[in-house]
Amino acid sequence: MARCVAAIRGLCCRPVVRNFAIIGQKAISTEDFILDDLPGTSGRLDVLVRCLRAAMLSSHGIRRGVVVYLVLLGGPLAPRVVRIDGAGVQFLRPDERSLAVRVKKVLASRADEPAAEGEPSPWVTVRPGFAVTRGGFERVIADVDDATPWILDEDASDIREAPGLGSAHGLFVVGDHLGIPEDVRARLDALGARRVSVGPVSVHADDVVALVTNELDRRVAAARR
Ligand SMILES: C[S@@+](CC[C@H](N)C(=O)[O-])C[C@H]1O[C@@H](n2cnc3c(N)ncnc32)[C@H](O)[C@@H]1O
């Protein structure tokens, strides 16, 4: 997604954008899952939609400056990525089932045709704020422009001591129940990503997203004082 250069440099009034990428190593890339058994039939898409809630929704609304990428590496159309842009989303309910229904409808679209050989697949907006593309983590990297990449890791240094965390566009990468795959780590290492931890205990992915969000909220509030 093209971002204005002045905003990236903190020189214009557009707020800093928070990007979260959740890597679903087995998460299904089609709509063929059962809502009544989401964890058992979707390659743990439930983990990803909980992360979406934690990143995108505050108590009374949608966080307009947040973009969430659900990287789906399981099922017949994988790799595929669903992008949810808070700037465009309408009426997002916080419960897991409603979020899964919304993602199911997006995945049922086949508008994101595979691109020609060597060409990146375009993003296709399927519903307000919801777009989909064929391709894996590389499509996320291409979309976030100059965002500063961060890897969320249990044994890394404390996020509370991380300099520059909230002052520029960030891309925060979180694993699912299986963690972050090696190829994604290697790609992030090549980009100079820094590893940070939200605490000494391994917690659920959506709790990680909530803790990162809380840390960013605190920094924004402190910068305003
Ligand atoms: C439930 S954990 C996955 C645990 C998995 N067994 C593994 O080896 O990665 C899901 C993801 O949350 C993130 N995570 C969990 N606890 C964390 C912590 N204390 N600090 C930072 N990230 C954490 C990591 O990105 C991890 O891949």
Side-chain angles (χ1 to χ4, degrees), residues 151-155 173-180 185 196-205 208:
I151 304 176
L152 274 298
D153 256 343
E154 285 90 336
D155 55 359
V173 181
V174 180
D176 63 357
H177 62 299
L178 300 174
I180 299 173
R185 283 183 182 281
V196 281
S197 155
V198 294
V201 175
S202 180
V203 295
H204 291 293
V208 175

Side-chain angles (χ1 to χ4, degrees), residues 3-4 7-9 14-19 144 146-150 165-172:
R3 306 239 183 261
C4 119
I8 290 166
R9 293 180 181 151
R14 285 183 60 193
V16 166
V17 173
R18 302 174 186 176
N19 301 282
V144 297
D146 291 336
T148 306
W150 302 87
L165 188 80
S167 56
H169 292 299
L171 169 63
F172 300 91

